[in-house]
Amino acid sequence: MSGTRRTDEGHGRLGSKLSGLAVALGCVLFLGGFAWGAVVYQPYTVPTDSMAPTIASGDRVLAERIDGSEVRRGDVVVFKQATWGNMPMVKRVVAVGGDTVACCTQDKLTVNGKKIDEPYLPKGSAAESSTIPSIEVPKDRLFLLGDERSGSLDSTAHLTEAGNGTVPRGAVSARVDAVAWPMNGMLDRPTGFEPLGGISDPGPLRLVLAAVVAGAVLVLGGAAYGPIANRSARRRSRTGAGERALAG
């Protein structure tokens, strides 16, 4: 019986060490995931339906902090432009410096003469409710449209300004990766722009969430080991006591 007790005690000490290690690692992953997310992402609440149905009024989005030089066609970006009201706005980039953008050809937007498939637009709607004349986007500038084209104050509302309604890349501060509330998840990638060049890859949001979830599981699992191990030890102790009484 003494050998059994020593074995149980050895297992108990090993289990306690592993439990402590799991809790420590879980804390690192959980807190580190939150810290990573806070550094990389900025939350925004979208006040209008100009990006519907992709993003609705009141939706809470997570936008990856990026430099304007990283923006690609199809990205949904957060930017601030003085002539647009000098407040954070969310729109989709449909053309970049050097592109020629126009609308509409067979109800589709064209960029460099190519018709763009835009499945994110409201079902049954045309690419634009009014004509966009052929516009060459100046170098280091962006042409932006809302997904709800009929009600969006976007580049088409500023065509008479310098730059033909475009904004400088430097005005962009973040790229929207996901709708966090309601939990619609990651934005679909705008594959219609792929024939014109590369599109952006998703940010590290999935890895951030995986780290947070894994950390929570390790913390809860490690913390639960103690009560479970103590209950098992008491059960074994009662069983051993019963066996000794019968043997006597």
Side-chain angles (χ1 to χ4, degrees):
M1 297 299 292
S2 60
T4 301
R5 276 198 304 273
R6 284 195 295 271
T7 300
D8 289 344
E9 289 171 0
H11 288 164
R13 284 195 296 271
L14 177 60
S16 295
K17 289 181 180 179
L18 291 176
S19 171
L21 181 61
V23 171
L25 179 58
C27 287
V28 170
L29 287 173
F30 187 77
L31 298 176
F34 271 111
W36 185 15
V39 170
V40 175
Y41 286 94
Q42 175 71 40
Y44 292 92
T45 299
V46 178
T48 72
D49 280 322
S50 68
M51 282 299 295
T54 306
I55 304 169
S57 174
D59 282 0
R60 189 82 165 166
V61 301
L62 290 176
E64 180 186 7
R65 293 182 173 94
I66 62 167
D67 183 82
S69 62
E70 301 175 56
V71 175
R72 301 288 182 269
R73 301 177 190 90
D75 288 348
V76 177
V77 298
V78 179
F79 67 98
K80 187 186 291 186
Q81 173 75 348
T83 57
W84 291 39
N86 204 30
M87 63 184 66
M89 302 185 74
V90 177
K91 303 293 178 189
R92 188 181 297 271
V93 177
V94 298
V96 298
D99 288 343
T100 299
V101 59
C103 196
C104 296
T105 300
Q106 297 176 340
D107 288 335
K108 288 185 179 291
L109 184 78
T110 63
V111 180
N112 300 337
K114 298 182 183 294
K115 290 183 289 187
I116 305 299
D117 184 25
E118 299 183 277
Y120 43 76
L121 297 180
K123 189 174 181 179
S125 68
E128 185 55 67
S129 58
S130 59
T131 299
I132 301 177
S134 181
I135 294 171
E136 183 174 348
V137 181
K139 181 181 178 182
D140 294 327
R141 296 183 75 88
L142 307 167
F143 196 87
L144 304 110
L145 298 175
D147 288 356
E148 188 7 88
R149 302 283 161 83
S150 63
S152 174
L153 295 177
D154 47 36
S155 287
T156 60
H158 300 272
L159 294 178
T160 59
E161 298 174 6
N164 294 323
T166 62
V167 300
R169 282 182 175 270
V172 174
S173 60
R175 177 172 51 221
V176 177
D177 234 7
V179 178
W181 184 262
M183 292 183 284
N184 295 341
M186 303 288 288
L187 297 191
D188 293 333
R189 309 317 296 163
T191 55
F193 291 92
E194 280 186 313
L196 299 172
I199 59 176
S200 298
D201 293 323
L205 183 58
R206 286 192 175 95
L207 290 177
V208 170
L209 293 176
V212 171
V213 171
V217 170
L218 285 172
V219 169
L220 293 174
Y225 171 81
I228 293 172
N230 289 337
R231 183 177 298 177
S232 298
R234 287 195 298 270
R235 188 174 299 152
R236 287 195 300 270
S237 178
R238 286 195 298 268
T239 301
E243 289 175 352
R244 286 196 297 274
L246 288 174

